[in-house]
Amino acid sequence: MKLLSPYMLFWLLSLPAILALYLLKRTYVNQTVPSVLLWQKLLREMEANRPWQKLRRNLLLLLQLLLAAMLAFTLARPALTGTGGPSAAHTIAVLDLSPSMAALVGANGKETALENAKTQISDLLSHLAPSQRLTLISMGREARVLASGNDPADLRRALDDAKQEYSKADYESALSLAAALSVQEPDSEVRIYSDGNWDLDSKLYPHFGSAPHLIQPQPHGKNLAVRQAAAIRIGERTALVATVENVSGEASTVDVQVQGADGKVLQVASAALKPNEQASLSWDDLAPSDFYTVKLLGDDALAADNQRVVLPEGTSSAKAWLVTAENQPNVFLEKALGLGGRLTVERGTDPDAPPADAALYVYDGVLPKQWPSGPVLLLNPPEGSPLLNVGAAVQAGNLQVLTPDAALLQNVDLSNLHLQALHPLTGASWLQPLVTSGGTPMLLTGEQNGRSAAVLPFDLHQSDLPLLPAFPILVKHLQDYLLPTTGAGLGTVEVGTRVGLLPPIRETGWSYTDPSGTEYDVTQALISQGFNPTEPGLYRFQSNDGKTSQLLSASLPPGESRIQPTAVTLPGGTASEKNDPHATASASIPGLEIWRWLAALILLLLFVEWGVYKRGI
């Protein structure tokens, strides 16, 4: 047991005060006298009485002393330890909504980690005192304050409205928000309901006002995942390759099946996987289908990564229109764009006369007066363009990767890259930097009016990027980002990645169906802002006449397949708290306050004391 307000024990000083009152109290004895003349003698005796009387055994005195002691003890807010109740005036609860929280937990595996966390927070609300308040923060795609106050009903409604998300969460912002609130209020505590798989540099952890408590779930069983899958259509047959990973600490054998668009099983294969091992499986001569589903058979802790929808790519190539400064060919870029046969590069001379049939528009050292209709790749943009505010060249510096988990940078090693100079871009808030050189962005991507764009603001000839093994990989990733796959699909993206809707979807009257089968209209806002898939699976875009359709496959972020809790040490508290080996994130949390029961007992004793007084006992 712990006293949450021990300073209130000063009310125990009322005990000697009550005793003093009884010591000073004059004792009166009822007497029957034959004449009032004797009252004078009685008054003289009373005046001669000493002010300090001998303390006698008195039930009323004992009850009053007991009531005063219990009242002081109740005001000190006694709480039982380890029951999960609030232990501070302000409790900040951070609820992780990331995909890994959809994993089954507990001995029975009947609830997910998110459901278990919501149950714990709901129990916390049940023990919230009127003088206490709670702030609920969601650790999802965006860090948000869901509710704040001391009304359990309002807080519980906000808790119920918090839904499982399947995109990568903004862990850094959620932790920073909770830390800022805890620093502002000294009498506060932070409870983080998460598995700790944040993929954050420990240097990015914010400092909390007091040592936060990390409440982590224990997953139920192992987890396997379909990590990657791709299919290519060659004539009348399709070849498919998939990578399966064992994301657990025990060996496992799994059966993997490939289904067609009609749900029929086409082929099945097995893989024996050691702990944390990957295996590649391939299937040849699959029957033609608009899409395929690679599915793991059997149950595991996380079902969201057990299947992946694959959109087959055709072998026909699209056109990339390339314009260079002063018509000087860029051999490195041209060769890299043509690798794999996906793009046929056509050189242009006039940047303001783009062909309408090009799938990708590439400008090297030049910029048009207005944007073309399709996706754009810019290299070494010149100064003085009305489209972009390009600054004078600055000297390159140390490289820093801002978003290492970005799809564009997977398997792209830029550690040995050397640049001579690059141009800073200002006023283009729709472009987000992925890599900087000396603080100046050197790789930017973004979407504007449904058009995807990527910018490399430096001259390839003044760098050794074309000589690095990472160059063709980077160009391939740029193609995947800027171009939809050929065939009937918009491509494959991670959940939470915005997709630009290109013609003909930009026409009126289109709708789309999500993986659950719910149909929505393609609105103008969706066209201008881009489409953001919210759960893994297949999204089907359909024209109003039913003759044209486009498919989009959304997959789970790869890092979210890790369901084993990660040990995390968050900075917070005083120096003594930091050095205390017992002040860890998993420390016992003082919880259930018992003042309500004590108050009921005090009320009962008051009735007893009143009865004793009335009877003169």
Side-chain angles (χ1 to χ4, degrees):
M1 181 178 294
K2 181 179 180 180
L3 300 180
L4 303 183
S5 302
Y7 57 87
M8 298 299 291
L9 291 177
F10 80 89
W11 285 105
L12 291 174
L13 296 176
S14 62
L15 298 180
I18 295 174
L19 287 172
L21 290 176
Y22 270 83
L23 290 173
L24 293 171
K25 178 182 178 182
R26 293 175 178 176
T27 303
Y28 298 94
V29 180
N30 293 328
Q31 296 187 24
T32 303
V33 295
S35 172
V36 296
L37 295 174
L38 297 177
W39 287 1
Q40 297 178 355
K41 181 179 180 181
L42 181 62
L43 289 174
R44 286 194 301 269
E45 290 180 357
M46 291 174 60
E47 291 173 354
N49 248 348
R50 293 177 299 172
W52 291 95
Q53 300 292 319
K54 182 180 179 181
L55 194 63
R56 302 177 182 180
R57 182 179 301 175
N58 191 318
L59 180 59
L60 187 62
L61 170 62
L62 296 177
L63 286 175
Q64 290 174 348
L65 291 175
L66 179 60
L67 280 170
M70 289 188 62
L71 182 60
F73 186 64
T74 303
L75 292 174
R77 294 175 59 197
L80 301 178
T81 58
T83 59
S87 61
H90 184 198
T91 300
I92 303 165
V94 181
L95 180 61
D96 189 353
L97 304 178
S98 64
S100 59
M101 293 293 285
L104 299 177
V105 297
N108 299 324
K110 294 184 178 180
E111 63 177 356
T112 66
L114 178 60
E115 292 170 343
N116 180 265
K118 293 172 73 171
T119 299
Q120 294 185 62
I121 298 177
S122 179
D123 183 65
L124 194 70
L125 296 176
S126 300
H127 303 122
L128 194 67
S131 60
Q132 295 175 313
R133 61 191 180 93
L134 184 141
T135 297
L136 181 61
I137 298 175
S138 67
M139 184 185 279
R141 187 170 183 268
E142 296 179 350
R144 294 187 298 119
V145 176
L146 301 180
S148 183
N150 59 359
D151 187 348
D154 291 342
L155 292 167
R156 191 167 279 110
R157 277 193 294 269
L159 180 65
D160 294 338
D161 291 340
K163 304 301 182 183
Q164 177 71 62
E165 296 182 6
Y166 292 96
S167 60
K168 189 174 180 62
D170 189 355
Y171 304 109
E172 183 180 356
S173 296
L175 294 174
S176 298
L177 179 57
L181 292 176
S182 69
V183 170
Q184 291 175 2
E185 300 188 43
D187 189 13
S188 65
E189 68 162 345
V190 178
R191 302 189 183 196
I192 304 173
Y193 298 84
S194 171
D195 51 25
N197 295 323
W198 303 328
D199 286 330
L200 290 178
D201 188 342
S202 59
K203 297 178 182 178
L204 299 177
Y205 290 153
H207 186 87
F208 291 79
S210 59
H213 305 284
L214 178 59
I215 299 95
Q216 296 179 300
Q218 293 301 320
H220 176 75
K222 58 190 176 183
N223 184 44
L224 295 99
V226 181
R227 180 62 68 218
Q228 297 288 344
I232 184 170
R233 184 183 297 118
I234 305 174
E236 293 298 322
R237 68 184 185 90
T238 302
L240 190 149
V241 178
T243 300
V244 181
E245 183 177 4
N246 180 10
V247 198
S248 62
E250 57 179 290
S252 181
T253 300
V254 62
D255 293 329
V256 187
Q257 67 177 205
V258 179
Q259 299 177 352
D262 55 3
K264 293 183 179 180
V265 179
L266 302 180
Q267 292 190 32
V268 180
S270 297
L273 300 170
K274 298 178 181 179
N276 301 309
E277 183 184 30
Q278 292 186 356
S280 295
L281 303 175
S282 61
W283 295 268
D284 297 323
D285 200 18
L286 294 175
S289 180
D290 291 339
F291 64 90
Y292 301 90
T293 303
V294 181
K295 186 176 183 180
L296 304 183
L297 301 181
D299 298 327
D300 61 12
L302 184 60
D305 58 6
N306 286 354
Q307 68 179 32
R308 183 179 288 246
V309 177
V310 185
L311 305 180
E313 297 186 20
T315 55
S316 58
S317 61
K319 180 195 294 186
W321 191 65
L322 171 63
V323 183
T324 58
E326 300 178 357
N327 297 324
Q328 296 295 325
N330 191 330
V331 179
F332 297 114
L333 179 61
E334 188 172 342
K335 292 294 184 182
L337 289 171
L339 289 176
R342 183 175 181 181
L343 288 174
T344 300
V345 180
E346 178 181 310
R347 296 181 187 175
T349 57
D350 187 358
D352 296 315
D357 59 345
L360 176 64
Y361 299 89
V362 185
Y363 298 94
D364 181 17
V366 295
L367 275 176
K369 295 179 181 178
Q370 60 182 11
W371 294 113
S373 59
V376 176
L377 173 60
L378 303 179
L379 296 96
N380 193 29
E383 303 176 43
S385 172
L387 297 181
L388 286 177
N389 188 3
V390 182
V394 297
Q395 187 175 0
N398 294 329
L399 290 181
Q400 182 182 6
V401 179
L402 302 181
T403 54
D405 58 342
L408 276 174
L409 300 176
Q410 298 304 306
N411 302 314
V412 177
D413 183 10
L414 299 175
S415 59
N416 296 320
L417 174 63
H418 298 89
L419 301 177
Q420 181 176 342
L422 67 163
H423 295 273
L425 303 180
T426 58
S429 58
W430 56 278
L431 288 173
Q432 301 299 320
L434 303 181
V435 184
T436 61
S437 174
T440 302
M442 61 149 288
L443 174 58
L444 306 95
T445 60
E447 294 179 6
Q448 187 182 42
N449 298 326
R451 180 191 304 102
S452 301
V455 184
L456 293 168
F458 60 91
D459 190 351
L460 287 180
H461 298 93
Q462 296 181 4
S463 74
D464 57 1
L465 179 60
L467 305 179
L468 298 178
F471 181 60
I473 301 176
L474 176 61
V475 174
K476 172 64 169 59
H477 288 341
L478 288 171
Q479 291 181 20
D480 295 338
Y481 171 74
L482 296 170
L483 293 174
T485 58
T486 57
L490 293 171
T492 301
V493 297
E494 291 183 6
V495 177
T497 303
R498 290 195 179 275
V499 180
L501 299 181
L502 303 176
I505 300 179
R506 297 175 68 84
E507 299 174 359
T508 58
W510 278 69
S511 62
Y512 72 93
T513 306
D514 65 10
S516 66
T518 306
E519 186 174 350
Y520 303 89
D521 291 332
V522 177
T523 63
Q524 191 61 41
L526 192 65
I527 293 174
S528 60
Q529 298 174 6
F531 178 71
N532 181 16
T534 57
E535 58 181 304
L538 181 69
Y539 293 81
R540 185 186 297 272
F541 291 80
Q542 189 79 31
S543 62
N544 57 352
D545 57 8
K547 296 180 180 179
T548 308
S549 66
Q550 294 282 320
L551 305 179
L552 174 68
S553 173
S555 60
L556 208 66
E560 296 297 336
S561 294
R562 279 198 324 272
I563 60 174
Q564 292 295 330
T566 300
V568 176
T569 302
L570 295 171
T574 62
S576 60
E577 287 177 326
K578 295 178 188 177
N579 298 328
D580 184 0
H582 301 289
T584 62
S586 59
S588 177
I589 304 172
L592 180 62
E593 293 191 50
I594 59 175
W595 67 269
R596 293 179 177 86
W597 297 311
L598 291 176
L601 183 58
I602 289 174
L603 184 62
L604 177 62
L605 286 176
L606 280 174
F607 280 103
V608 174
E609 189 263 353
W610 177 77
V612 170
Y613 172 75
K614 293 293 290 182
R615 287 168 175 77
I617 300 176

